[in-house]
Amino acid sequence: MDPAAKDAENVNRLPLRSLGLKPGMAMQTRRIVEGASKKESQYFGAIEGKGVMVGPLGADGAKTELEEGEVCVVRGFTGQYEYSFLTKVLQTFEKPFAYALLSYPAQVDARLVRQSMRIQCSWPTKVIVPADGGTPGAQDATLIDLSTSGAMVKASTQVAALGTSVQLALSVMVDKAPQDLCLTAAICHNNRATNEEAYFVGLAFKSLTPQDKLVLSYLTQSPQT
């Protein structure tokens, strides 16, 4: 089967509230006009049946680059769902901060990508590359999201080639007690950051022990800071 057709089969029509959107989640907006480009935005909140508030990404964002009356498409990823919906710009505001009020969609197109929710975090960690995996040794990184099936780290290098098995080492608190984890994972994607010298490295866990699974389940249900 054609991959695009297979993906289309997996798309469901869902209410917006079922996506579990949280303030600060990144999304893209694009005006439905010729030559319009995608704009990086963030979700601020929504009032069901009334409107959806989105604004420019980053604390320094001053404009939404949307205009009242325009029709636009919104796309994003929640950590579980890839989603999109068509909407109309109802109003734009500059004070007390820049945001646009979009019409509330009756339903959104959503495709379940991951069975488990990922939590956002910012924890120091190390990625240990084996001797046969490229540049061996432990590389410092920052864990930026975590689920029971995988994680993403931000590192200064690509770490290793796609498919390479590495170990993710981090210290966490479980029920107020420190615990060290060393999880085996395969590198499943490797993307260069847009505005800095860094890489976002996706990891898929494998060969987890029952204890590893229990700890990951606890962490994703009781996120730490």
Side-chain angles (χ1 to χ4, degrees):
M1 180 182 290
D2 177 64
K6 186 175 181 180
D7 282 347
E9 285 186 353
N10 294 329
V11 173
N12 295 305
R13 298 284 289 169
L14 300 174
L16 181 69
R17 66 176 182 277
S18 68
L19 298 180
L21 287 170
K22 295 180 175 59
M25 281 188 168
M27 52 174 49
Q28 291 181 335
T29 56
R30 182 172 64 83
R31 297 177 296 154
I32 306 299
V33 296
E34 185 176 354
S37 59
K38 299 174 182 177
K39 301 298 181 183
E40 298 299 325
S41 305
Q42 62 176 311
Y43 173 79
F44 287 151
I47 301 174
E48 189 169 356
K50 300 293 185 180
V52 179
M53 293 177 287
V54 303
L57 191 64
D60 298 328
K63 293 183 179 181
T64 64
E65 299 189 43
L66 297 172
E67 297 182 8
E68 291 183 21
E70 288 184 324
V71 175
C72 63
V73 61
V74 177
R75 300 182 185 276
F77 179 55
T78 68
Q80 279 186 288
Y81 289 98
E82 290 179 348
Y83 66 90
S84 65
F85 61 89
L86 282 173
T87 183
K88 185 177 182 179
V89 182
L90 300 178
Q91 288 180 282
T92 60
F93 302 87
E94 293 184 359
K95 296 181 179 180
F97 54 88
Y99 74 96
L101 180 66
L102 310 179
S103 61
Y104 194 92
Q107 289 186 311
V108 302
D109 292 326
R111 183 169 69 91
L112 184 64
V113 177
R114 299 191 182 107
Q115 294 293 332
S116 55
M117 183 65 181
R118 291 197 172 206
I119 59 164
Q120 295 182 328
C121 50
S122 181
W123 304 340
T125 186
K126 290 185 181 293
V127 181
I128 303 168
V129 182
D132 59 353
T135 304
Q139 299 188 35
D140 290 328
T142 301
L143 183 71
I144 59 175
D145 73 30
L146 178 70
S147 77
T148 55
S149 59
M152 183 180 292
V153 299
K154 182 179 178 182
S156 59
T157 71
Q158 292 180 307
V159 179
L162 295 181
T164 301
S165 289
V166 298
Q167 290 184 311
L168 181 69
L170 65 156
S171 297
V172 297
M173 296 294 290
V174 177
D175 198 19
K176 299 183 180 180
Q179 184 160 336
D180 294 328
L181 289 178
C182 191
L183 307 171
T184 301
I187 295 179
C188 55
H189 65 80
N190 214 322
N191 299 317
R192 180 76 175 267
T194 303
N195 299 318
E196 56 185 314
E197 294 293 325
Y199 292 85
F200 295 106
V201 183
L203 304 171
F205 296 141
K206 59 181 186 179
S207 304
L208 293 175
T209 68
Q211 179 64 18
D212 292 337
K213 293 177 182 178
L214 284 173
V215 173
L216 289 171
S217 179
Y218 174 87
L219 294 174
T220 54
Q221 293 177 38
S222 306
Q224 306 179 14
T225 57

